[in-house]
Amino acid sequence: MAISGLGSHSISLFFYVVFATLLHKAQGQNLVTNNVSVVEGETAIISCRVKNNDDSVIQLLNPNRQTIYFRDVRPLKDSRFQLVNFSDNELLVSLSNVSLSDEGRYVCQLYTDPPQEAYADITVLDRDGESSLVMTDMSLLRPFPGEATIEELYDRMFTVTSRLRLTVSKEDDGVAVICIIDHPAVKDFQAQKYLEVQYKPEVQIVVEFPEGLTREGENLELTCKAKGKPQPHQINWLKVDDDFPSHAVITGTDLFIENLNKSFNGTYRCVASNLVGEAYDDYILYVYDSRADGAPQKIDHAVIGGIVAVFVFAMLCLLIVLGRYFARHKGTYFTHEAKGADDAADADTAIINAEGGHNNSDDKKEYYI
């Protein structure tokens, strides 16, 4: 009621003084804490400190914002939390047998107007934590051992560096190398990098025209295909141990020669190079006669004549053998029939004396005329 009797300037001055007093009070009470890193199974110390406290209440909350300590009273029923020190300016609490589930952000809170909060992050380190390198190719995972070095920093903080050395080929270009951290404090943490493998060019000469034999009077077109990393920056054509035909045309990676003749025979080479090295491929040109179509055109008459001669000679030999065979068997027949006829006085006697004849002269003889 006393305020109502004041003028407007007096009311404004009153609220200004109250606000300034509260602001000075809040600014004068600075609440601080610190982050904690602890090895699994050991003890973590959480500190809430206040500068210039005016009997404001200090309390400590867990990551779920449950009160661990309110001043020097522990509402949370977890005996691992123990009061180390309590005063108007400090609340010091220990957490024994730390596990991975204890990780998180703890809150120091000071009951002022407005309330103040400070945060302490607890990180739990695995005593046997290690890192590994994995090289992956699509669905295939292959682990490779790395050379690890451990550097201790401060407050039981460590930096682990793992180095991997391996021999790569062009097939490994674009393959992902994944570094996987096997550590309970950082679940499923990994980093990956895709390999950039540089290699010298791979060169291949392709015949665009003609298909089949290269004949006199026709045209020839060759294309040089080169692949490498980085991309080949230079591609050259040359003829090994000879000069290029005067009317050969080179356009980029293509070589064109018209009206072929046998003087163009030889080895044509395409050479490609990049920053890694150079490579080449050869094409051997042989110009055939214009009548050539991929099969022999000239018939070897000498060979055919020899074959015919052998055939005729074989037939003659066969006829001679057969003639002698039949002649011999025919003579034998006549000899058997005439045996004993040389001493016969007449035809009847010759028949009687012949082999197979009858010696009995009294036998009846029949004659056929």
Side-chain angles (χ1 to χ4, degrees), residues 29-327:
Q29 300 178 164
N30 296 323
L31 180 64
V32 294
T33 186
N34 58 281
N35 297 328
V36 179
S37 296
V38 61
V39 177
E40 185 179 15
E42 297 187 357
T43 301
I45 303 297
I46 308 172
S47 174
C48 298
R49 299 183 301 277
V50 184
K51 181 181 179 181
N52 301 325
N53 192 5
D54 62 348
D55 295 332
S56 296
V57 176
I58 306 174
Q59 71 171 347
L60 176 64
L61 311 177
N62 65 13
N64 296 324
R65 300 193 73 88
Q66 297 172 326
T67 301
I68 301 174
Y69 267 93
F70 183 84
R71 297 178 65 90
D72 57 349
V73 178
R74 176 168 58 83
L76 188 67
K77 299 186 181 304
D78 188 343
S79 60
R80 295 181 304 145
F81 290 98
Q82 294 294 324
L83 185 65
V84 178
N85 182 51
F86 172 74
S87 66
D88 291 340
N89 298 317
E90 183 180 52
L91 175 61
L92 197 63
V93 178
S94 67
L95 172 59
S96 61
N97 194 22
V98 176
S99 66
L100 294 176
S101 61
D102 296 321
E103 279 193 333
R105 172 163 290 186
Y106 290 74
V107 182
C108 291
Q109 194 175 74
L110 181 65
Y111 275 94
T112 59
D113 189 13
Q116 297 183 47
E117 289 187 352
Y119 307 100
D121 292 326
I122 292 184
T123 301
V124 181
L125 304 176
D126 181 19
R127 187 182 302 274
D128 299 322
E130 60 182 15
S131 64
S132 61
L133 284 173
V134 173
M135 182 176 179
T136 178
D137 183 3
M138 302 302 290
S139 61
L140 178 63
L141 293 176
R142 294 179 291 160
F144 291 88
E147 299 176 359
T149 58
I150 302 176
E151 179 183 1
E152 184 173 1
L153 301 178
Y154 58 88
D155 194 18
R156 290 178 291 183
M157 292 286 292
F158 299 89
T159 297
V160 180
T161 303
S162 182
R163 292 180 174 85
L164 175 65
R165 299 178 183 271
L166 68 160
T167 301
V168 297
S169 63
K170 62 180 181 294
E171 287 78 14
D172 297 318
D173 184 43
V175 172
V177 176
I178 303 176
C179 177
I180 300 177
I181 307 300
D182 183 11
H183 196 290
V186 282
K187 300 178 178 62
D188 298 328
F189 182 79
Q190 65 181 32
Q192 71 177 18
K193 184 177 180 61
Y194 292 93
L195 292 178
E196 291 284 342
V197 181
Q198 296 186 343
Y199 54 93
K200 68 181 183 179
E202 297 176 324
V203 185
Q204 181 185 14
I205 296 177
V206 178
V207 180
E208 302 291 349
F209 183 85
E211 295 182 359
L213 299 181
T214 48
R215 306 175 183 85
E216 288 183 308
E218 293 185 344
N219 300 331
L220 173 67
E221 183 178 357
L222 304 177
T223 297
C224 181
K225 295 186 177 181
K227 176 185 176 183
K229 192 168 187 178
Q231 183 68 25
H233 61 273
Q234 188 173 6
I235 296 178
N236 295 322
W237 284 95
L238 58 91
K239 187 177 182 183
V240 179
D241 300 329
D242 202 352
D243 296 330
F244 249 87
S246 58
H247 60 283
V249 177
I250 298 176
T251 305
T253 60
D254 296 337
L255 170 64
F256 181 77
I257 305 175
E258 63 178 359
N259 195 20
L260 293 174
N261 62 64
K262 293 187 177 182
S263 65
F264 298 157
N265 289 347
T267 301
Y268 292 80
R269 176 171 296 176
C270 174
V271 182
S273 60
N274 60 11
L275 296 177
V276 180
E278 70 174 26
Y280 65 86
D281 189 24
D282 289 341
Y283 172 78
I284 300 176
L285 173 63
Y286 182 83
V287 180
Y288 292 84
D289 293 335
S290 59
R291 294 173 296 173
D293 61 358
Q297 294 294 310
K298 295 181 180 180
I299 300 175
D300 195 337
H301 296 285
V303 174
I304 295 178
I307 295 174
V308 174
V310 171
F311 179 78
V312 172
F313 178 77
M315 293 299 296
L316 290 175
C317 292
L318 180 60
L319 291 174
I320 293 172
V321 171
L322 290 176
R324 291 178 60 87
Y325 174 82
F326 285 117

